[in-house]
Amino acid sequence: MKCPYCENTDTKVIDSRPTEDGRAIRRRRECERCGRRFTTYEKVEESIIMVVKKDGRREAFDRSKMMNGIIKACEKRPVAMDDIEKIVGEIERGLNNLMEKEVKSSFIGELIMDKLKDVDQVAYVRFASVYRQFTDVNTFISEIEKLMGKK
C-alpha cells in the first residue's frame, strides 16, 4: 500500500478490525519512511448495479447518494448515524442479493421509505415528500393518514 504522504510503498499494518458488520476490514497503517499513519479499508468488490431513473436514464448505483438523501430526511431528528448506516447497508446488501444488473429508482425509494417508517415517522414523511413530489398540503395529509392507519 502506497503512503498518501510520501508515496513510499513500504508500509506496515498497526491495527486491523472488522467494520460494516464484518463486510469490510479497517486497517491502520504506518509508513516505514516518514512514520505517518493512515487508514485503509478492504472490502469485497460488488458488481455494478445500474439504477433506471423515472425518465429512463441509467446511472451507476451510488451508496453515498442514498446516504445523503436519508441524512437529509433525518436532519434535526433523533436518528443516530449508526441507524442510517444500518439502513443503507441493509438496502445495499438487498440490492446485491437480487442479482439484477438494473433496478428501478422507484424500487430503491420504496425500500428506503419502508426502513425509515420503522426508524422515524417524521423522517419518513420528509423523504416521501421529496421522493413522491408532494405538491400540496392535501398530499401530506393523505400520507400521514396512511401512516396513522397502519398503527
Side-chain angles (χ1 to χ4, degrees), residues 4 15 32 39 43 53 55 58 81 106 108 118 125-127 131 141 144 150:
D15 181 40
E32 297 283 333
T39 303
K43 63 195 247 178
K53 306 300 239 170
D55 65 2
R58 286 165 170 71
M81 268 311 286
S106 58
I108 296 171
D118 298 333
V125 173
R126 283 180 178 170
F127 188 87
Y131 171 70
I141 293 170
I144 291 169
K150 291 190 176 186

Side-chain angles (χ1 to χ4, degrees), residues 6-95:
C6 71
E7 298 193 9
N8 181 34
T9 56
D10 295 324
T11 61
K12 65 180 177 182
V13 175
I14 297 169
D15 181 40
S16 242
R17 57 181 70 175
T19 61
E20 297 180 25
D21 296 331
R23 297 189 174 277
I25 297 175
R26 176 186 179 273
R27 298 192 195 281
R28 194 74 182 133
R29 296 178 177 271
E30 183 175 61
C31 177
E32 297 283 333
R33 184 190 304 159
C34 69
R36 294 183 76 178
R37 294 181 176 188
F38 58 98
T39 303
T40 61
Y41 292 90
E42 178 183 325
K43 63 195 247 178
V44 174
E45 189 172 15
E46 306 283 351
S47 60
I48 295 175
I49 296 171
M50 296 304 287
V51 178
V52 182
K53 306 300 239 170
K54 289 177 187 174
D55 65 2
R57 286 181 301 118
R58 286 165 170 71
E59 63 182 49
F61 173 77
D62 185 352
R63 175 187 171 89
S64 64
K65 191 172 178 180
M66 181 171 56
M67 174 89 78
N68 290 337
I70 295 171
I71 288 170
K72 193 72 173 165
C74 295
E75 213 168 73
K76 298 182 183 178
R77 298 296 304 154
V79 180
M81 268 311 286
D82 285 346
D83 292 335
I84 294 171
E85 288 172 356
K86 183 179 174 190
I87 290 169
V88 171
E90 286 174 1
I91 292 172
E92 187 175 29
R93 277 191 299 282
L95 292 173

